[in-house]
Amino acid sequence: MSLNNMKIISPYVGYSGVPYTFEYEDADSFDQLPYDKCRQVYAVCFVDNKMLIVLHEQKNHWGLIGGTIEEGETFEETLKREIQEESNMEMLWCKPVGHQKVVDSRDGSFIYQLRYVATAKPYGPFESDPANAVTEIKLIYPTNYKEYFDWGEIGDRIIELAKELVVDIKR
């Protein structure tokens, strides 16, 4: 499958009330992005034919698995570590889907959040996240994700592309 390089721009108000603009763009590589501006990596992660979602207890919401890039890590190393820490699963495969430029509307500063599709398999049962950020995991049918979270047009695009890309590797 080839990406059509779709771009979506959406306003967003953060949990602290700060206004942001999200500028999402499809991408099959993140090489063009400045590493120091890339801060987070998240994935639509599949285990067999189900999508892995995690409960972030502090914010009391379900979402995708992932987190902050630690100094010296590649994006894939971050994703692999986050999948293991937050779900006790081994990442088997991953591919970029797109990136989201998060622009602070107050001063124009920005960071990038990277979005992947991944596949994983359990090492064993989920017990706890070492950072205590994730308190529960679920495997759901991808068509049911809006029962848990709704990220509007950008979220719909990320999930749609991820479903298509994961089907492509199974062929």
Side-chain angles (χ1 to χ4, degrees):
M1 182 203 147
S2 64
L3 302 177
N4 342 354
N5 203 23
M6 180 179 279
K7 294 180 183 181
I8 303 167
I9 298 175
S10 177
Y12 176 78
V13 177
Y15 289 104
S16 61
V18 174
Y20 296 97
T21 299
F22 289 167
E23 300 174 8
Y24 171 82
E25 187 172 347
D26 295 343
D28 55 11
S29 167
F30 301 126
D31 295 343
Q32 76 283 11
L33 300 177
Y35 178 85
D36 65 325
K37 290 286 190 181
C38 298
R39 300 290 165 80
Q40 297 175 331
V41 176
Y42 285 85
V44 179
C45 187
F46 291 92
V47 179
D48 297 320
N49 292 323
K50 291 194 174 177
M51 189 171 106
L52 173 64
I53 59 171
V54 297
L55 179 62
H56 297 275
E57 184 73 19
Q58 292 171 332
K59 296 178 182 175
N60 193 30
H61 70 83
W62 289 94
L64 300 178
I65 197 159
T68 303
I69 300 164
E70 293 183 358
E71 189 173 334
E73 280 184 326
T74 67
F75 306 142
E76 290 83 7
E77 287 170 342
T78 299
L79 187 58
K80 182 177 183 175
R81 175 182 51 77
E82 290 289 347
I83 289 172
Q84 191 276 321
E85 288 176 356
E86 292 185 352
S87 70
N88 195 31
M89 293 194 193
E90 175 186 10
M91 183 177 81
L92 304 173
W93 170 88
C94 72
K95 181 174 179 60
V97 170
H99 56 81
Q100 181 165 273
K101 184 176 183 180
V102 180
V103 181
D104 187 323
S105 299
R106 299 170 299 180
D107 62 10
S109 63
F110 67 91
I111 62 157
Y112 288 101
Q113 299 173 332
L114 311 181
R115 303 296 188 248
Y116 280 86
V117 59
T119 58
K121 70 175 183 179
Y123 286 116
F126 172 76
E127 293 177 13
S128 68
D129 170 14
N132 293 318
V134 170
T135 55
E136 187 179 344
I137 67 171
K138 269 187 198 223
L139 294 173
I140 65 167
Y141 291 105
T143 52
N144 297 342
Y145 78 93
K146 284 193 177 183
E147 293 175 20
Y148 299 92
F149 62 92
D150 185 351
W151 294 343
E153 187 180 4
I154 292 173
D156 293 346
R157 177 64 179 172
I158 293 166
I159 303 289
E160 170 194 327
L161 276 178
K163 289 190 312 189
E164 291 176 18
L165 290 167
V166 82
V167 166
D168 282 352
I169 68 152
K170 292 181 179 180
R171 290 184 181 158

